[in-house]
Amino acid sequence: MNRASHRHRLGNTAAVVTALLSVAAALTAGHLVAALTEPRASPHVAVGNVAIDLAPRPVKELAIDLFGTSDKLALLVGMGLVIVLLATAGGLASRRTPLPGSVLITGFGVLGLVAAASRVGPDPLALTAPLAATLAGLGVFGWLHRTAPSVPPDSEAARTEPRRHAEEDGTTGLVGTTSGRRRFLVSGASVALASGAAGTAGQLLGDARGVSRSRKAVELPRPEVEAPPIPEGADFARSGAPSFITPNSEFYRIDTALRVPRVPTSEWRLRVHGMVEREIELTFDELTSRRLLAKPITMTCVSNPVGGSYVSTAEFLGVPVRDLLAEAGVRDGAEQVLSTSVDRFTAGTPIEALTDPDRDALLAVGMNGEPLPVEHGFPVRMVTPGLYGYVSATKWLTDLEVTTWDNRPYWAKRGWALRAPVKTQSRIDRPTGFEKIPAGRITVAGVAWAQHTGVERVEVRVDEGSWRRAELSEPVNKDTWRMWRIDLDLPPGGHTVESRATDRSGYTQTAKRAPTVPDGATGWHSVFFTAR
């Protein structure tokens, strides 16, 4: 082994630190450039979105079951761990030569390019982000690899020299001259600071597209059709049921967006096209100048299990979709409206649901008296009463194409049903599972929903006894949930309470358990608790 090769042999710690800092530099550089060009092209986000798209259906279901609304955070954390492990392996493989690490970074770059192209399309400007990430990673890796202190040759000196250096500076693996170690530490610290600054700047620039200011500047017009006041008896919150209106901060969120799209109203456009007599293009101001109506609507996610929490109610303000479709002129043979979000998610809504004069499907711009929260689709989203969200509630809406079912939307390609009316369901909110409560008279309370049909009654039974009819809250409209409650006298011991709802069509919620796939879960909700 010659002297030149000795100078290029890194210790384990130096090799791993070099690789990790290089990957950090690559990701933050890509994130910064993406904030200046196309946020969806940020390498970490683009690869994560592709992972979501390509994940098999059982994996998606498992992620939602395990992590709920934190499934995207879990994915990001998991990706981070994989990146750290691969970078560590690449660094260790690069102790003698930077080639393995350079190949790994280049592979990451190619993956980022492919992912960005699949999400954004062949936009040269958008592809600058993964390119910048690759160049930054390679540049930093080569620089730090040259700067890193080397270890002595494999000899008696190699076995004693590292120990001597470690005793001098209190480190392990960062061996070499004192000035060499100091130079590497300064270089590494510089890369870490620059990466932190780039990542922070990218985040701030992404937010600085004016979305927060744009949302604050929106003055919602007064609706031409106002929602009737909600009666006092619509809410059984004091009995343990949820409040009738769900606060925006508590409204469930389920979507495929790894990074929430941020579109200011000045950049928003909507195109209505396809099987129509005339295409329509609207700005946000043009949309909000149209006839608006306000209405409380309960929304439910198809991923909601029996007794689950993915159901919420808000008063939405928006333009009826049927008004736009009537203006565009729907041609014969049209079967669905394929709605597309700015992040290219698609949903297919049956044309009859959107043109039904008795069903107020909306292009919503407001939610509970304020502009839509960014996480819930600002500036415009769809809300269609009576249908699960995956076929009817596209957020960050930008395109409506009138078409046939041959044009398959996102979830239909993954085995979910094309038509997905919300199923009649009920949930027990009080008592909670395995709760210990005083014996004697107790109040059992919950909520039931049968959107666009309406809840007629709710029945409760304890320990498989006879069904008893619960008290229902005052109805608001057939597109919203209803609260229920019942007082029961129970002796000490363990008890199981079950509930079932009957809608206004006469259909009673089935006891048969079915999973969420392909069109929503079924079954009676039951809760076991102890009276003592």
Side-chain angles (χ1 to χ4, degrees):
M1 184 179 294
N2 59 36
R3 187 179 300 274
S5 64
H6 298 166
R7 290 198 301 268
H8 292 90
R9 186 173 178 227
L10 278 57
N12 292 345
T13 303
V16 171
V17 169
T18 295
L20 291 176
L21 288 176
S22 301
V23 171
L27 291 175
T28 54
H31 190 61
L32 175 58
V33 174
L36 297 170
T37 55
E38 170 52 68
R40 290 176 294 169
S42 179
H44 198 54
V45 175
V47 172
N49 280 324
V50 170
I52 291 174
D53 289 348
L54 297 180
R57 189 176 70 189
V59 174
K60 293 176 185 285
E61 296 167 19
L62 179 62
I64 293 175
D65 290 342
L66 291 177
F67 304 108
T69 55
S70 299
D71 57 337
K72 298 173 187 65
L73 176 61
L75 172 63
L76 288 173
V77 171
M79 287 176 59
L81 290 175
V82 171
I83 290 172
V84 167
L85 291 175
L86 289 176
T88 299
L92 293 174
S94 303
R95 285 172 293 180
R96 293 180 180 275
T97 170
L99 181 61
S102 299
V103 170
L104 179 64
I105 292 172
T106 302
F108 278 152
V110 171
L111 181 61
L113 277 168
V114 173
S118 69
R119 299 294 297 182
V120 183
D123 181 356
L125 188 62
L127 299 182
T128 56
L131 284 172
T134 306
L135 293 176
L138 289 172
V140 169
F141 185 74
W143 177 46
L144 289 180
H145 199 281
R146 291 191 301 271
T147 306
S150 61
V151 297
D154 294 326
S155 63
E156 182 64 27
R159 290 190 293 272
T160 58
E161 191 71 7
R163 188 178 302 110
R164 182 174 67 81
H165 284 299
E167 291 171 354
E168 289 177 0
D169 64 5
T171 63
T172 302
L174 293 182
V175 295
T177 65
T178 300
S179 61
R181 292 194 301 276
R182 184 181 299 115
R183 184 171 62 251
F184 179 71
L185 291 173
V186 170
S187 300
S190 300
V191 171
L193 289 173
S195 298
T200 302
Q203 199 66 29
L204 292 175
L205 285 171
D207 293 341
R209 296 183 70 199
V211 175
S212 297
R213 291 194 306 272
S214 177
R215 184 174 179 271
K216 289 179 180 179
V218 172
E219 294 186 8
L220 295 176
R222 186 168 182 171
E224 184 175 321
V225 180
E226 296 192 21
I230 296 173
E232 287 186 20
D235 200 319
F236 284 175
R238 292 184 179 180
S239 297
S243 60
F244 179 80
I245 292 293
T246 309
N248 289 350
S249 60
E250 298 175 14
F251 203 100
Y252 79 88
R253 179 197 163 199
I254 297 289
D255 52 57
T256 63
L258 190 59
R259 183 179 189 274
V260 175
R262 306 181 70 83
V263 183
T265 56
S266 60
E267 297 180 13
W268 183 84
R269 298 291 185 275
L270 175 67
R271 182 185 177 209
V272 183
H273 63 107
M275 297 175 66
V276 296
E277 298 298 331
R278 61 198 70 83
E279 290 192 10
I280 299 175
E281 290 194 13
L282 296 172
T283 65
F284 184 79
D285 289 340
E286 290 170 338
L287 179 69
T288 54
S289 67
R290 291 170 169 261
R291 182 176 77 97
L292 296 171
L293 66 84
K295 182 176 181 178
I297 297 172
T298 296
M299 298 183 66
T300 310
C301 181
V302 72
S303 297
N304 196 43
V306 173
S309 60
Y310 302 149
V311 54
S312 303
T313 298
E315 183 177 294
F316 290 99
L317 172 70
V319 174
V321 179
R322 62 177 176 269
D323 290 0
L324 282 179
L325 294 179
E327 182 177 328
V330 177
R331 293 178 181 171
D332 292 340
E335 297 173 312
Q336 67 160 329
V337 173
L338 188 74
S339 53
T340 304
S341 70
V342 297
D343 64 350
R344 303 182 74 179
F345 170 82
T346 57
T349 311
I351 195 79
E352 62 270 17
L354 299 178
T355 56
D356 181 359
D358 190 41
R359 190 193 303 252
D360 295 317
L362 301 176
L363 299 184
V365 296
M367 183 175 176
N368 289 335
E370 61 182 70
L372 287 172
V374 175
E375 294 79 7
H376 289 288
F378 179 84
V380 180
R381 70 170 297 169
M382 284 183 66
V383 177
T384 308
L387 300 180
Y388 285 117
Y390 81 98
V391 300
S392 69
T394 300
K395 302 173 185 174
W396 313 290
L397 181 70
T398 189
D399 189 275
L400 295 175
E401 180 183 3
V402 180
T403 182
T404 66
W405 290 119
D406 291 335
N407 198 349
R408 295 278 166 153
Y410 182 92
W411 284 112
K413 294 176 181 177
R414 290 157 175 82
W416 295 76
L418 286 176
R419 299 175 183 273
V422 175
K423 295 182 176 178
T424 300
Q425 287 285 298
S426 62
R427 185 184 75 201
I428 302 165
D429 289 274
R430 179 184 179 185
T432 58
F434 302 103
E435 183 179 359
K436 293 179 174 60
I437 60 177
R441 172 149 291 206
I442 69 165
T443 298
V444 178
V447 64
W449 57 90
Q451 290 96 307
H452 208 58
T453 304
V455 174
E456 180 64 30
R457 68 177 181 272
V458 172
E459 297 167 296
V460 175
R461 72 175 181 178
V462 180
D463 301 330
E464 298 187 348
S466 59
W467 289 100
R468 295 179 55 185
R469 192 160 181 167
E471 176 190 359
L472 284 178
S473 64
E474 289 293 322
V476 174
N477 64 55
K478 63 183 179 180
D479 293 322
T480 57
W481 56 10
R482 293 182 75 177
M483 313 304 156
W484 58 266
R485 63 188 176 192
I486 186 171
D487 292 332
L488 301 172
D489 292 308
L490 297 178
H495 300 285
T496 298
V497 62
E498 297 170 289
S499 68
R500 68 181 185 187
T502 299
D503 62 33
R504 290 178 181 171
S505 73
Y507 171 80
T508 298
Q509 175 182 345
T510 179
K512 183 179 179 181
R513 284 273 178 167
T516 57
V517 182
D519 59 357
T522 63
W524 294 338
H525 187 211
S526 64
V527 169
F528 176 82
F529 62 97
T530 303
R532 59 182 185 179

